[in-house]
Amino acid sequence: MRLQGIPKAKIAEELGIQDVGRLKIWMRKYREQGDFGLMEHRGRRKEYKDLEREVKRLRLENDVLKKWLEILAR
């Protein structure tokens, strides 16, 4: 909508956003970071890192088990 020249206040009104300043912040975050900028990040960084580690560990475990099954099949 904003790209069509509609003022921020009008967009906020149409979307039911009372704080135009909040809309400005969201627009800036989207412009700078895309969809990722609009995601909730509070308290999740550690969770993301832990999940990445867990995925890596499980992939390694799967690789080891596949190799073990190959050895047993011989």
Side-chain angles (χ1 to χ4, degrees):
M1 285 194 242
R2 183 72 179 132
L3 294 175
Q4 298 170 352
I6 301 171
K8 292 177 184 140
K10 179 71 173 165
I11 295 171
E13 181 183 323
E14 287 184 26
L15 297 176
I17 301 170
Q18 295 180 1
D19 183 8
V20 177
R22 175 60 43 198
L23 178 63
K24 290 178 184 178
I25 291 169
W26 290 341
M27 290 175 70
R28 186 185 76 238
K29 284 184 176 186
Y30 183 77
R31 188 173 50 250
E32 292 173 356
Q33 302 174 8
D35 292 340
F36 183 77
L38 299 176
M39 292 173 56
E40 179 67 51
H41 298 289
R42 290 180 287 184
R44 293 195 177 206
R45 287 210 180 257
K46 184 177 183 218
E47 180 181 320
Y48 288 143
K49 288 180 183 178
D50 289 344
L51 288 176
E52 288 176 12
R53 286 184 193 134
E54 180 70 8
V55 168
K56 285 180 185 177
R57 187 187 68 76
L58 290 172
R59 285 187 177 150
L60 178 63
E61 186 177 314
N62 282 339
D63 290 342
V64 169
L65 290 172
K66 286 177 186 177
K67 287 179 183 178
W68 178 249
L69 286 175
E70 286 177 17
I71 291 170
L72 289 178
R74 291 182 191 166

